[in-house]
């Protein structure tokens, strides 16, 4: 079942072609954001870990989602290490997004059949992340790398699935 969920999330992300990313230390605002995304037809969002209260807000978002939008996926973003990944997974994260490639996060997610989207900024990182099972690669920071970087990666690696992020 978990493996099917992972592939359903990938399918959803590809169909939506957009992944809203947000943070609020106010669970009411976070729930409103979740509702707005759902009502706008987006079935996946990334809540980033940017504050001391983020795990508590995330927990409330998961409960709200479970009660109101059970077909929606909520990922945890800005995850730097395996401890953060485990914390958010234990709270119900459907997928994990990291600003960089981290083998330990790959291992944790692969072991649990959870989608993991690592941030990569070089072709070497992209190839390595894909060899560790990453199905979608977050090109980060995209604004610094530019359109030509994505185009140049897809030339020799047209099967790579890239998601641009970062101003």
């Amino acid at each position: 079942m978990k493996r099917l969920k992972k592939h359903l999330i990938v399918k959803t992300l590809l169909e939506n072609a957009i992944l809203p990313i947000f943070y609020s230390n106010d669970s009411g605002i976070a729930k409103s954001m979740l509702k707005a995304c759902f009502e706008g037809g987006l079935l996946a969002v990334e809540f980033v870990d940017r504050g001391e209260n983020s795990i508590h807000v995330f927990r409330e978002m998961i409960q709200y989602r479970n009660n109101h939008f059970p077909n929606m996926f909520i990922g945890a973003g800005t995850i730097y290490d395996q401890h953060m990944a485990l914390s958010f997974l234990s709270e119900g994260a459907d997928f994990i997004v990291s600003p960089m490639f981290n083998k330990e996060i790959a291992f944790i997610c692969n072991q649990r059949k959870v989608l993991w989207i690592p941030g990569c900024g070089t072709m070497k990182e992209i190839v390595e992340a894909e060899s560790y099972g990453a199905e979608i690669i977050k090109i980060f920071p995209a604004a610094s790398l530019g359109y030509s970087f994505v185009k140049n990666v897809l030339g020799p690696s047209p099967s790579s699935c890239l998601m641009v992020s970062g101003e």
Side-chain angles (χ1 to χ4, degrees), residues 7 10 17 20 45 52 56-57 60 63 65 76 78 80 108 110 131 135-136 161 167:
H7 292 289
V10 170
V45 298
E52 290 181 31
H56 304 291
V57 173
E60 289 186 40
Q63 291 170 353
R65 182 274 315 265
T78 315
Y80 286 98
I108 295 286
N110 289 335
S131 75
E135 295 182 49
I136 298 174
C161 185
E167 283 193 76

Side-chain angles (χ1 to χ4, degrees):
M1 186 76 161
K2 285 265 188 188
R3 183 161 179 77
L4 292 176
K5 184 177 181 181
K6 176 181 177 179
H7 292 289
L8 185 56
I9 296 168
V10 170
K11 181 178 183 279
T12 299
L13 291 173
L14 295 175
E15 286 173 355
N16 285 336
I18 187 169
L19 178 62
I21 301 170
F22 69 95
Y23 170 76
S24 176
N25 64 356
D26 181 308
S27 62
I29 292 171
K31 290 175 190 177
S32 293
M33 180 68 170
L34 196 64
K35 181 179 181 190
C37 289
F38 182 81
E39 289 174 350
L42 299 174
L43 298 178
V45 298
E46 176 187 342
F47 181 79
V48 294
D49 181 18
R50 298 255 174 98
E52 290 181 31
N53 197 34
S54 62
I55 196 80
H56 304 291
V57 173
F58 188 81
R59 182 181 305 122
E60 289 186 40
M61 285 178 56
I62 292 292
Q63 291 170 353
Y64 182 72
R65 182 274 315 265
N66 291 346
N67 292 330
H68 300 282
F69 319 114
N71 295 330
M72 193 171 198
F73 301 111
I74 304 175
T78 315
I79 304 301
Y80 286 98
D81 60 42
Q82 68 269 27
H83 305 293
M84 291 173 72
L86 285 169
S87 293
F88 280 91
L89 288 170
S90 71
E91 294 298 338
D94 295 310
F95 59 96
I96 297 293
V97 183
S98 180
M100 77 292 182
F101 171 70
N102 180 305
K103 293 176 189 176
E104 290 80 19
I105 295 173
F107 179 75
I108 295 286
C109 291
N110 289 335
Q111 189 178 45
R112 288 161 179 76
K113 309 286 190 258
V114 171
L115 178 65
W116 159 67
I117 304 172
C120 296
T122 67
M123 187 67 184
K124 181 179 191 284
E125 289 175 341
I126 292 168
V127 169
E128 188 172 15
E130 289 175 336
S131 75
Y132 276 83
E135 295 182 49
I136 298 174
I137 303 294
K138 172 178 158 174
I139 300 301
F140 183 79
S144 299
L145 295 168
Y147 169 78
S148 61
F149 177 79
V150 173
K151 182 180 172 190
N152 289 331
V153 167
L154 291 175
S157 187
S159 62
S160 290
C161 185
L162 308 178
M163 175 177 81
V164 296
S165 181
E167 283 193 76

